[in-house]
């Protein structure tokens, strides 16, 4: 797992949700701090695209890909251990990572781009850094960090929203003004929904942006329901019934629905049964080694091959934690 960055972070989040492999999980978090770069990026900085044997045209040259957002995901675990232990070691590491994010040159409307090079806002980034920022703000008593988390979700959502379908494209490019990856990819939409439900617990309900986030969440979740397949899955391209039924987006919607229901921002009568159907069908995907099959592998997208990947396992555990 150590060769990964954001995928490892998703797996750590899943393991924390079900209280498994504590020793190994803390080792991975501590190792992410030990390999924090001079400018504050955790887990060796960006490791680039993980080699799964394919590379889509839109991903560019992986040798030039240096993500700002991907190394932040293990930071969720860093803050979890600060919350548990109170050790300043963890808060100091989180502070460096937060300050690095705030140092990045943004788009004209203030969005933090996912990587160096062209300024692109990808919904992936939101799960990567918005919950981290908001929780850091709460734990460090820095309300500006909570404000920034809310602002980033709103900027990314505004740029990627399709007003005709109510869905969200995965990414937007500032120059030229265009969609970096224009399909309605299920995991792309789910990055937005998971980011919101993971951020809301750290945003005061009287915050100016709280109701805005809830409204975005409710609207997109209601739209997503229209596309659920009778099997319980969602398709990899959410509005294309000829695309494969895919696990990671499906599990991320389960996590979204269950966490939203628990927070009281999503209606159980509306979302509970679709969530249960999705979880039931995903149970059959776990192989004898614990891998979760039918996951669109990194970097994802509409043409991604399906296989086994850490983020699939992480979101399976996050989703399953509500059914234990």
């Amino acid at each position: 797992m150590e060769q990964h960055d954001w995928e490892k972070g998703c797996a750590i989040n899943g393991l924390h949700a079900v209280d498994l492999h504590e020793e190994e999980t803390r080792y991975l978090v501590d190792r992410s701090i030990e390999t924090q770069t001079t400018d504050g990026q955790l887990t060796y900085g960006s490791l680039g695209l993980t080699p799964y044997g394919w590379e889509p045209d839109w991903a560019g040259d992986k040798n030039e890909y240096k993500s700002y957002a991907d190394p932040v995901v293990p930071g969720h675990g860093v803050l979890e251990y600060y919350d548990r232990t109170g050790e300043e070691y963890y808060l100091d590491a989180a502070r460096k990572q937060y300050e690095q994010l705030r140092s990045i040159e943004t788009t004209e409307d203030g969005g933090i781009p996912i990587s160096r090079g062209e300024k692109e806002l990808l919904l992936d980034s939101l799960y990567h850094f918005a919950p981290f920022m908001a929780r850091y703000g709460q734990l460090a008593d820095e309300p500006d960090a909570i404000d920034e988390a809310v602002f980033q979700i709103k900027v990314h959502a505004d740029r990627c929203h399709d007003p005709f379908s109510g869905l969200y494209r995965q990414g937007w490019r500032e120059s030229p003004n265009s969609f970096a990856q224009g399909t309605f990819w299920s995991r792309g939409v789910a990055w937005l929904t998971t980011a919101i439900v993971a951020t809301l617990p750290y945003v005061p309900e009287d915050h100016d942006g709280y109701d805005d986030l809830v409204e975005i969440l409710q609207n997109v979740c209601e739209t997503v329901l229209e596309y659920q397949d009778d099997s319980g899955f969602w398709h990899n391209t959410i509005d294309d019934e000829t695309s494969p039924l895919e696990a990671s987006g499906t599990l991320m919607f389960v996590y979204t629905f269950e966490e939203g229901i628990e927070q009281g921002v999503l209606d159980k009568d509306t979302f509970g049964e679709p969530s249960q159907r999705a979880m039931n069908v995903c149970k059959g995907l776990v192989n004898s080694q614990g891998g979760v099959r039918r996951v669109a592998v990194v970097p994802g997208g509409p043409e991604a091959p399906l296989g086994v990947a850490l983020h699939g396992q992480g979101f399976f555990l996050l989703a399953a934690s509500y059914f234990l």
Side-chain angles (χ1 to χ4, degrees):
M1 289 174 64
E2 196 173 328
Q3 67 175 317
H4 300 267
D5 42 28
W6 70 266
E7 296 177 84
K8 172 178 65 184
C10 292
I12 289 169
N13 292 349
L15 290 167
H16 279 154
V18 294
D19 293 323
L20 288 173
H21 299 293
E22 172 68 21
E23 182 178 347
E24 295 87 345
T25 303
R26 187 161 180 173
Y27 165 79
L28 290 168
V29 171
D30 287 347
R31 185 64 178 159
S32 293
I33 297 173
E34 291 167 6
T35 55
Q36 191 168 21
T37 65
T38 301
D39 65 359
Q41 285 191 290
L42 292 162
T43 196
Y44 303 96
S46 174
L47 305 182
L49 297 176
T50 305
Y52 278 93
W54 84 294
E55 186 179 335
D57 293 340
W58 54 264
D61 184 352
K62 67 184 180 183
N63 294 318
E64 297 178 359
Y65 180 91
K66 297 292 288 182
S67 177
Y68 291 126
D70 290 359
V72 183
V73 191
H76 301 195
V78 172
L79 290 172
E80 175 68 21
Y81 281 117
Y82 175 69
D83 205 4
R84 294 184 184 188
T85 68
E87 294 179 21
E88 289 296 319
Y89 170 73
Y90 293 106
L91 188 62
D92 288 344
R95 181 177 295 109
K96 292 174 185 176
Q97 176 62 88
Y98 172 70
E99 290 173 351
Q100 190 273 335
L101 285 171
R102 294 307 308 272
S103 73
I104 296 167
E105 183 179 351
T106 66
T107 61
E108 289 186 1
D109 50 4
I112 297 175
I114 191 169
S115 63
R116 295 160 176 81
E118 293 183 359
K119 290 182 180 177
E120 295 181 351
L121 304 184
L122 264 63
L123 295 180
D124 313 37
S125 301
L126 294 180
Y127 180 79
H128 295 14
F129 60 60
F132 169 82
M133 284 180 165
R135 191 175 190 182
Y136 170 76
Q138 183 193 73
L139 292 171
D141 193 22
E142 293 191 23
D144 287 352
I146 298 174
D147 295 344
E148 185 66 19
V150 172
F151 175 76
Q152 288 300 325
I153 291 175
K154 292 169 69 174
V155 168
H156 280 69
D158 181 63
R159 284 298 187 182
C160 296
H161 183 236
D162 177 65
F164 301 101
S165 67
L167 293 169
Y168 290 79
R169 304 185 190 278
Q170 186 203 5
W172 170 82
R173 181 184 295 116
E174 184 171 64
S175 181
N177 183 354
S178 58
F179 291 114
Q181 208 290 94
T183 58
F184 300 123
W185 175 40
S186 62
R187 192 160 81 224
V189 177
W191 283 128
L192 172 62
T193 66
T194 55
I196 293 175
V197 296
T199 300
L200 281 174
Y202 311 110
V203 181
E205 291 189 19
D206 61 355
H207 188 282
D208 289 344
Y210 183 89
D211 289 342
D212 294 333
L213 297 193
V214 171
E215 183 178 7
I216 294 169
L217 177 70
Q218 291 174 341
N219 288 342
V220 69
C221 286
E222 288 171 4
T223 301
V224 160
L225 280 187
E226 300 172 17
Y227 295 96
Q228 186 176 23
D229 186 77
D230 288 345
S231 65
F233 285 108
W234 276 265
H235 290 273
N236 190 37
T237 300
I238 202 167
D239 61 340
D240 181 2
E241 294 182 356
T242 68
S243 74
L245 300 169
E246 197 270 337
S248 67
T250 298
L251 289 162
M252 291 165 78
F253 289 137
V254 174
Y255 164 67
T256 295
F257 294 168
E258 293 299 323
E259 179 62 23
I261 290 168
E262 188 166 287
Q263 291 181 27
V265 295
L266 293 179
D267 178 56
K268 184 174 183 179
D269 291 340
T270 302
F271 295 99
E273 188 275 336
S275 178
Q276 182 70 68
R277 283 197 294 119
M279 193 71 237
N280 287 345
V281 74
C282 286
K283 290 177 185 177
L285 297 177
V286 182
N287 65 26
S288 59
Q289 287 77 45
V292 179
R293 298 169 293 153
R294 298 195 69 85
V295 171
V297 299
V298 175
E303 299 178 357
L306 303 186
V308 173
L310 286 174
H311 55 283
Q313 290 169 277
F315 276 105
F316 185 97
L317 294 174
L318 281 163
S321 68
Y322 297 92
F323 298 91
L324 297 176

